[in-house]
């Protein structure tokens, strides 16, 4: 890992996580550099969420090493983890919106509670509003999560993830359970987040077309929406990792993904819209 | 055989770990006072009607059942003493704790359980708050202050319920004798025991409720299971602990 450490944002080295003696992650290794995107594919139950939560220090690894922002965080204390997490944004699979708090308070939560991110009240209100504008939900400040649709809740989750302007963004199954149109809207927001904020992005999904969209589109600031990226692939590098029952069975580019011989990997590519 | 007891022992170990973190947390910042007051309201005010009803009728029923036995010995004048001692030492703390276990331990388990399965607890940690400080500590503080107060009220209305049966209803003894008798019979030891018990129960009730909530897995179904487990485990702890504490006081 030496030499690449300055650019490395997130790296797993032979990470193993066990639940009840069953390895849910089995010697998982990969590396993600600053500005890159990672598409993490895998069937339900393959360990995608567990991988993401170990990267956040929410689940402790039973073996191996985890590197964040170029530092070995395997042995980090909970207090050190709070500081690390302040540099990351996350959208949880189940949303994780606090249903006792209004949308405004939900989005303001990380700014209020992360010590390293405290800011004056006016500044906070401005950032919350900006963040909600970003996901086109500026009018919902006073509402509660239960009053919003599933797609809107996802968008609030994205607003909460980006409000801290994190260096690393983690999205857990952002399009799961959404209709195709809403799913495309969410993906467009994720692309916008990646291109406008230049954040390193990890997206967990079981839908190959999410990854495809991430690779093939970019956000055009002058037009204000996503457009197909140049064919030569000058945009940010996206790489693909495929998980199967806790093991990495593929790690490579989209082109390699599309020509993969492995049946399990090829199945993701073949799966229709 | 080893496998059979491994599960419960691991669970107990996890519980002790949470209890330790929550207890240490009591003396450390941050304090989320609004959450503490919300919980106090939920436990103290919310459980008041059911606690008062239970207290009243347990006192009344005790006077009713004791009246026959006391008549046989011609000792009906002692009714106030019997009702007071049994209530303050045993029935008041235990019945109040069981009611609060049913209402509040279950409430904590289901609330924290829903938060767990919708990843709100993960989100808290990811966004800079310690769920033990934000969720467990306020519930612990609130229960530990409200349960002793509820118990005192239950004791009073219980003695009042006993009086209704003993005096206006059955005419076992005079009003003055009943109140005098019940008041005088209470010793320092009874009062200590009667207040120590709800305090200990409160710690167990709140921690058990939070513990089962926080370790919920398996979606909505898991929340139901966690709630049931919390009530059962908390209730069993109450009756076991009342015996243990009683045992210590009897030998003193
Ligand atoms: N807290 C837990 N306790 C026990 N098993 C767990 C826990 N969390 C996840 N698992 C198991 O780990 C495996 C991977 O889960 P997960 O990462 O959620 O899958 P997915 O790829 O669908 O996100 C599943 O078999 C799941 O049952
Ligand atoms: Mg998942």
């Amino acid at each position: 890992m030496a030499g690449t450490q300055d650019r490395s944002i997130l790296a797993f080295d032979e990470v193993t996580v066990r639940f009840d003696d069953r390895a849910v992650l089995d010697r998982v290794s990969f590396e993600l550099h600053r500005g890159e995107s990672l598409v993490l594919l895998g069937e339900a139950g393959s360990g995608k969420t567990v991988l993401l939560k170990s990267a956040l220090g929410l689940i402790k690894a039973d073996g191996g090493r985890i590197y964040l922002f170029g530092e070995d965080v395997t042995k980090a204390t909970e207090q050190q983890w709070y500081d690390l997490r302040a540099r990351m944004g996350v959208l949880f699979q189940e949303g994780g919106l606090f249903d006792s708090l209004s949308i405004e308070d939900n989005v303001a939560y990380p700014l209020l509670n992360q010590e390293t991110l405290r800011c004056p009240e006016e500044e906070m209100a401005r950032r919350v509003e900006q963040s909600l504008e970003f996901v086109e939900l500026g009018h919902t400040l006073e509402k509660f999560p239960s009053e919003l649709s599933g797609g809107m809740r996802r968008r609030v989750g994205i607003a909460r993830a980006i409000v801290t302007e994190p260096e690393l963004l983690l999205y857990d199954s952002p399009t799961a359970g959404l209709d195709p149109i809403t799913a495309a809207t969410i993906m467009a927001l994720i692309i916008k987040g990646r291109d406008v904020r230049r954040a390193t992005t990890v997206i967990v999904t079981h839908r190959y077309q999410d990854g495809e969209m991430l690779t093939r589109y970019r956000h055009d600031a002058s037009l204000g929406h996503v457009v197909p990226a140049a064919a030569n692939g000058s945009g940010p590098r996206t790489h693909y990792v495929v998980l199967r029952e806790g093991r990495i069975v593929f790690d490579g580019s989209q082109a390699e993904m599309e020509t993969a011989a492995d049946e399990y990997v090829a199945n993701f590519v073949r799966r229709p819209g | 055989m080893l496998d059979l007891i491994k599960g419960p022992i691991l669970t107990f170990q996890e519980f002790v770990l949470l209890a330790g973190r929550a207890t240490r947390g009591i003396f450390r910042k941050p304090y989320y006072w609004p959450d503490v007051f919300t919980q106090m309201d939920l436990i103290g005010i919310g459980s008041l009607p059911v606690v008062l009803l239970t207290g009243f009728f347990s006192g009344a029923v005790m006077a009713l059942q004791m009246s026959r036995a006391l008549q046989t010995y011609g000792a009906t004048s002692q009714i106030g003493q019997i009702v007071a001692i049994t209530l303050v030492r045993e029935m008041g703390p235990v019945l109040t704790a069981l009611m609060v276990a049913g209402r509040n331990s279950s409430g904590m388990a289901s609330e924290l359980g829903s938060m767990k399965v919708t990843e709100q607890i993960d989100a808290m940690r990811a966004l800079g708050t310690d769920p033990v400080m934000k969720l467990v500590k306020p519930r612990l503080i609130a229960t530990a202050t409200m349960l002793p107060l509820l118990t005192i009220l239950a004791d009073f209305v219980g003695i009042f319920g006993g009086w209704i049966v003993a005096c206006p209803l059955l005419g076992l003894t005079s009003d003055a004798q009943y109140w005098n008798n019940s008041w005088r019979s209470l010793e320092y030891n009874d009062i200590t025991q009667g207040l120590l018990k709800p305090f200990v129960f409160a710690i167990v009730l709140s921690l058990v409720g939070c513990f089962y909530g926080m370790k919920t897995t398996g979606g909505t179904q898991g929340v139901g299971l966690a709630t049931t487990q919390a009530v059962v485990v908390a209730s069993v702890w109450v009756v076991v602990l009342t015996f243990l504490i009683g045992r210590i006081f009897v030998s003193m």
Side-chain angles (χ1 to χ4, degrees):
Chain A
M1 204 133 311
T4 59
Q5 290 226 343
D6 49 328
R7 291 188 54 229
S8 173
I9 284 239
L10 170 66
F12 273 40
D13 183 18
E14 301 267 302
V15 171
T16 298
V17 173
R18 283 192 198 86
F19 284 122
D20 313 318
D21 299 328
R22 190 170 61 92
V24 173
L25 286 187
D26 191 2
R27 284 164 289 148
V28 165
S29 305
F30 68 89
E31 189 173 8
L32 181 66
H33 292 211
R34 193 173 290 275
E36 279 182 353
S37 300
L38 173 71
V39 178
L40 190 65
L41 287 158
E43 283 180 347
S46 55
K48 306 183 296 292
T49 298
V50 171
L51 190 153
L52 224 53
K53 287 189 184 169
S54 343
L56 281 160
L58 299 174
I59 293 177
K60 291 280 174 281
D62 295 296
R65 319 212 128 262
I66 297 174
Y67 300 84
L68 262 174
F69 310 113
E71 281 171 53
D72 187 345
V73 297
T74 319
K75 296 250 149 35
T77 63
E78 189 68 12
Q79 192 49 53
Q80 289 168 318
W81 269 114
Y82 279 116
D83 295 340
L84 288 164
R85 289 178 199 135
R87 301 167 68 184
M88 302 192 241
V90 55
L91 171 71
F92 286 100
Q93 183 167 9
E94 306 293 340
L97 294 182
F98 304 118
D99 39 35
S100 58
L101 299 181
S102 69
I103 298 306
E104 182 177 17
D105 292 340
N106 259 290
V107 178
Y109 198 92
L111 296 176
L112 266 175
N113 288 289
Q114 265 153 351
E115 262 163 48
T116 50
L117 298 174
R118 286 256 170 76
C119 57
E121 207 155 304
E122 317 84 68
E123 152 116 15
M124 193 161 71
R126 190 183 55 75
R127 285 173 71 172
V128 167
E129 214 160 306
Q130 228 173 36
S131 208
L132 279 166
E133 290 294 338
F134 186 93
V135 297
E136 287 146 35
L137 281 177
H139 54 284
T140 59
L141 259 62
E142 304 301 322
K143 290 212 161 88
F144 282 85
S146 56
E147 300 172 73
L148 301 184
S149 71
M152 282 161 101
R153 279 205 292 270
R154 256 340 122 75
R155 274 147 68 187
V156 174
I158 294 178
R160 189 173 71 176
I162 60 171
V163 73
T164 60
E165 293 176 8
E167 297 160 62
L168 174 62
L169 270 165
L170 311 169
Y171 298 101
D172 193 354
S173 312
T175 59
L178 297 182
D179 60 89
I181 296 171
T182 316
T185 319
I186 297 289
M187 281 314 297
L189 283 174
I190 291 175
I191 292 168
K192 187 168 153 196
R194 177 196 67 185
D195 296 346
V196 173
R197 311 256 173 156
R198 307 237 159 270
T200 312
T201 303
V202 178
I203 154 166
V204 159
T205 181
H206 62 277
R207 294 171 9 126
Y208 178 67
Q209 65 266 42
D210 290 346
E212 229 176 357
M213 206 172 152
L214 205 60
T215 322
R216 298 222 167 117
Y217 287 82
R218 65 180 178 82
H219 181 77
D220 189 315
S222 55
L223 292 174
H225 58 79
V226 293
V227 295
N232 59 13
S234 60
R237 202 175 89 89
T238 305
H239 77 119
Y240 289 73
V241 164
V242 181
L243 265 181
R244 178 181 194 176
E245 286 164 19
R247 288 208 190 112
I248 289 188
V249 292
F250 176 88
D251 186 345
S253 68
Q254 185 176 31
E256 288 168 312
M257 179 95 191
E258 275 166 9
T259 53
D262 187 284
E263 189 63 17
Y264 181 84
V265 177
N267 253 331
F268 278 105
V269 183
R270 240 180 271 137
R271 202 166 288 171
Chain B
M1 178 62 198
L2 206 65
D3 281 347
L4 216 68
I5 57 169
K6 200 172 136 197
I9 288 181
L10 282 179
T11 309
F12 186 69
Q13 187 185 343
E14 275 177 64
F15 176 76
V16 171
L17 233 64
L18 176 75
R21 285 178 59 202
T23 318
R24 258 178 290 131
I26 298 268
F27 306 102
R28 271 202 306 218
K29 285 204 280 189
Y31 291 92
Y32 298 97
W33 291 114
D35 298 83
V36 176
F37 297 135
T38 311
Q39 289 302 319
M40 281 183 167
D41 181 50
L42 218 61
I43 298 161
I45 309 298
S47 297
L48 193 60
V50 62
V51 163
L52 291 183
L53 267 176
T54 326
F56 179 85
F57 281 103
S58 56
V61 125
M62 213 167 350
L64 201 63
Q65 294 296 342
M66 286 300 158
S67 62
R68 271 257 305 283
L70 289 176
Q71 269 161 352
T72 346
Y73 300 110
T76 49
S77 61
Q78 300 302 310
I79 189 83
Q81 176 178 356
I82 290 186
V83 170
I85 291 185
T86 334
L87 267 175
V88 171
R89 275 203 201 168
E90 205 61 67
M91 299 290 271
V94 170
L95 288 175
T96 308
L98 289 179
M99 291 302 132
V100 171
R103 263 193 104 255
N104 302 104
S105 296
S106 66
M108 293 175 200
S110 67
E111 191 184 355
L112 269 56
S114 325
M115 292 184 75
K116 175 73 194 306
V117 299
T118 54
E119 293 182 314
Q120 290 179 54
I121 295 197
D122 283 316
M124 275 191 177
R125 290 175 69 195
L127 304 178
T129 33
D130 181 349
V132 173
M133 301 296 260
K134 173 84 177 159
L135 297 173
V136 182
K137 195 168 79 171
R139 284 164 176 77
L140 177 61
I141 296 177
T143 320
T145 44
M146 294 325 277
L147 193 59
L149 292 179
L150 284 174
T151 305
I152 293 173
L153 289 176
D155 291 346
F156 270 111
V157 295
I159 295 173
F160 176 72
W163 170 77
I164 298 252
V165 171
C167 304
L169 209 66
L170 299 180
L172 295 176
T173 175
S174 73
D175 294 352
Q177 196 167 30
Y178 179 89
W179 288 110
N180 244 322
N181 214 313
S182 56
W183 180 245
R184 291 246 192 87
S185 63
L186 291 176
E187 288 168 11
Y188 183 66
N189 186 316
D190 302 317
I191 309 276
T192 325
Q193 193 176 154
L195 287 179
L196 177 71
K197 275 181 183 174
F199 184 71
V200 174
F201 294 162
I203 295 172
V204 172
L205 292 187
S206 53
L207 288 178
V208 165
C210 293
F211 173 71
Y212 281 100
M214 302 242 303
K215 81 183 205 79
T216 304
T217 49
T220 341
Q221 229 178 353
V223 178
L225 189 68
T227 311
T228 317
Q229 270 178 324
V231 177
V232 170
V233 171
S235 306
V236 170
W237 269 108
V238 165
V239 290
V240 172
L241 281 171
T242 192
F243 173 77
L244 292 178
I245 298 173
R247 179 75 193 75
I248 294 168
F249 272 86
V250 167
S251 64
M252 263 181 7

